[in-house]
Amino acid sequence: MIHMEKTHPIITIPLAHRGLHNEKWDENSLPAFKHACDNKFGIELDVHLMKDGNIAVIHDANLKRVTGFDVLIEDLVKEDLVKCHLLKSKTTIPLLSEALNLVDGRVPVLVELKVVNDFNPEFALKVIEILNQYPYKKNVALQSFNPYAVKFLRMNQDVFPVGQLASDILPGQSKFVHFMFKHLFILMISKPHFLNYEVGYIKKRKIARLRRRGLPIVTWTIDTEEKKTLAAKFADNIIFESIKI
């Protein structure tokens, strides 16, 4: 049984949102991850399951925004990635294993499983399999918006803390889903080791109570001084971008 202390690296070291990306280095790219490591910031990254069972590091399900190719990552195999260069750095979309090899334990890594609606347990099991081969397990945590994915990750391994991502606004979701998230009823399903809530909605009495009881609170995305001040008051750690930390 995991109990996540607030001394865990995911809670003590600020996390660069999709790596430390900028006008030269794309989000979720190996250069952005190297930049974060060089500056001693943790890394938050996003993963998707590919057609061949590989785990790719990319935020969107569709590659168009970051590569120009209008194709779904779930329809591709590893060999396809060499044709899909990221727009800024011209590097390829990395696999999770490649990102971990680059980080090599230097900074903590928070892995978000991108699950829009239906949760595929094979996805979670594959991520766990890859992470189990990583030598620096105490520097890793998992998270997802999907409470059933969080529950599955929590129940099917006892090494990595698992966080519940949440916000008051969830594009494309029903009023019921919004209600469940806004009032944190999803926590009854996921029972996470930490909560990662969008900064604009973090001033909830329920979140403050959970924090007082020992649940670590992370917040995203800190990209202004105003949000940074808010996060300092209501959260234990931040996921940031485009701002000096």
Side-chain angles (χ1 to χ4, degrees), residues 123-141:
F123 180 19
L125 291 172
K126 189 65 183 178
V127 171
I128 292 168
E129 180 187 329
I130 292 166
L131 292 177
N132 278 336
Q133 296 168 29
Y134 189 55
Y136 309 99
K137 296 177 179 60
K138 292 188 183 300
N139 267 11
V140 176

Side-chain angles (χ1 to χ4, degrees), residues 4-16 39-43 105-110 138-141 161 193-195 211 215-219 232 235-240 245:
M4 190 181 202
E5 300 290 345
K6 293 191 178 183
T7 53
H8 193 285
I10 289 293
I11 307 303
T12 59
I13 299 173
L15 305 168
N39 286 274
K40 297 181 171 55
F41 290 123
I43 293 165
R106 287 179 287 169
V107 298
V109 179
L110 176 55
K138 292 188 183 300
N139 267 11
V140 176
H193 301 112
F194 65 97
L195 177 65
R211 191 182 181 204
L215 186 72
I217 306 296
V218 181
T219 190
D236 299 299
N237 199 13
I238 61 171
I239 296 172
F240 73 95
I245 299 298

Side-chain angles (χ1 to χ4, degrees), residues 70-126:
D70 189 5
V71 62
L72 296 176
I73 190 70
E74 66 183 28
D75 292 334
L76 302 182
V77 297
K78 177 183 175 181
E79 288 70 29
D80 294 323
L81 296 182
V82 296
K83 310 169 209 165
C84 306
H85 292 107
L86 296 165
L87 294 174
K88 295 176 184 177
S89 62
K90 307 305 179 189
T91 57
T92 57
I93 294 166
L95 298 177
L96 176 59
S97 56
E98 293 171 330
L100 293 172
N101 285 341
L102 182 147
V103 174
D104 196 31
R106 287 179 287 169
V107 298
V109 179
L110 176 55
V111 179
E112 178 185 345
L113 279 71
K114 302 300 289 185
V115 181
V116 179
N117 288 310
D118 294 335
F119 167 58
N120 178 2
E122 180 194 345
F123 180 19
L125 291 172
K126 189 65 183 178

